[in-house]
Amino acid sequence: MTQQVDTRTRARDEFARLLAERGYLGVSLEEVATMVKVKKASLYHHFPGGKVALFAAVAHHYIHESSTCLRAALDSGDTVRDRLLALAGAYAQGAFNSVLGDRIYDATRHVDDATRAEISHAYMQALVAPVTELMERAVEAGELRQADPRFLALAFMELAAVAQPLPPEVALPPQERPAPTPCRRLAQDVVDLFLYGAAPDRPDI
């Protein structure tokens, strides 16, 4: 049983690495089997649905790990600002694997409708719903203006994603990039922009 679990885990992790590097169409079961040092037939034993099943395992593992980080952030502090600071800080520290997340999103166009719906629903339930619930409570408490909580959640998550560290191979070479903003300051800037906008007359904090 331990060996089977290890094979499943190694295959999942190798698929995730290749997916992040090349995208869904750039990954083959043959290469995964070679890297994991098993026969391709063995992968079908562990993942009877083949490539789509292995991709789904990667997506669900990513969602689970990201949900753990998100829940920890949302359990921090007493106010909506405290919790948003913790969440933006997690983004700024690279707690969420943005490259893999983007590849998973892109890959859903290449899988069947059932798998796409399964992954999409899992993502929304684990990663969007908790932030939506936070926004809903904040609106009801008067901490945020009256607005659709789901819209507020998605808007904040998109804004916080800007704080994520750039992969070393993206955009300017690392030696040409400006000095990074400290994570704490970056998180504060993200949250202040979300809560107060970019106007110069925002309230003192």
Side-chain angles (χ1 to χ4, degrees):
M1 175 64 82
T2 301
Q3 185 176 0
Q4 289 185 355
V5 172
D6 182 58
T7 299
R8 281 185 59 87
T9 300
R10 287 187 297 120
R12 183 199 68 205
D13 292 348
E14 184 59 29
F15 190 99
R17 184 185 70 80
L18 293 173
L19 178 66
E21 183 179 294
R22 305 175 189 170
Y24 185 80
L25 297 181
V27 184
S28 70
L29 289 184
E30 290 83 355
E31 186 171 10
V32 173
T34 298
M35 298 301 294
V36 178
K37 298 180 180 179
V38 298
K39 294 182 179 180
K40 183 178 176 181
S42 179
L43 289 184
Y44 279 100
H45 170 72
H46 294 288
F47 302 95
K51 183 175 177 177
V52 171
L54 189 46
F55 164 71
V58 168
H60 283 294
H61 183 66
Y62 168 82
I63 291 169
H64 173 73
E65 287 198 323
S66 298
S67 176
T68 299
C69 294
L70 183 142
R71 287 287 185 181
L74 295 184
D75 287 340
S76 303
D78 299 317
T79 67
V80 65
R81 187 171 189 274
D82 292 336
R83 294 182 172 92
L84 293 180
L85 279 171
L87 184 53
Y91 274 98
Q93 293 167 16
F96 303 102
N97 188 336
S98 60
V99 174
L100 180 58
D102 289 344
R103 291 295 199 181
I104 289 171
Y105 176 81
D106 290 340
T108 58
R109 74 187 66 186
H110 302 298
V111 299
D112 57 276
D113 289 346
T115 301
R116 184 184 306 113
E118 171 194 328
I119 293 170
S120 297
H121 291 158
Y123 179 93
M124 296 299 292
Q125 183 64 33
L127 300 179
V128 178
V131 185
T132 301
E133 291 166 8
L134 171 66
M135 298 300 182
E136 185 174 15
R137 293 194 301 270
V139 169
E140 291 174 352
E143 292 182 280
L144 295 175
R145 66 177 177 83
Q146 290 293 322
D148 178 4
R150 187 169 178 270
F151 169 78
L152 293 175
L154 293 172
F156 179 78
M157 294 173 77
E158 287 292 328
L159 182 59
V162 176
Q164 294 178 115
L166 284 174
E169 71 277 9
V170 171
L172 288 174
Q175 65 273 16
E176 296 181 26
R177 297 180 186 179
T181 303
C183 290
R184 182 180 178 83
R185 174 58 189 275
L186 195 54
Q188 290 175 340
D189 288 345
V190 165
V191 173
D192 289 347
L193 182 59
F194 176 76
L195 292 178
Y196 309 119
D201 57 348
R202 66 178 176 81
D204 292 333
I205 301 168

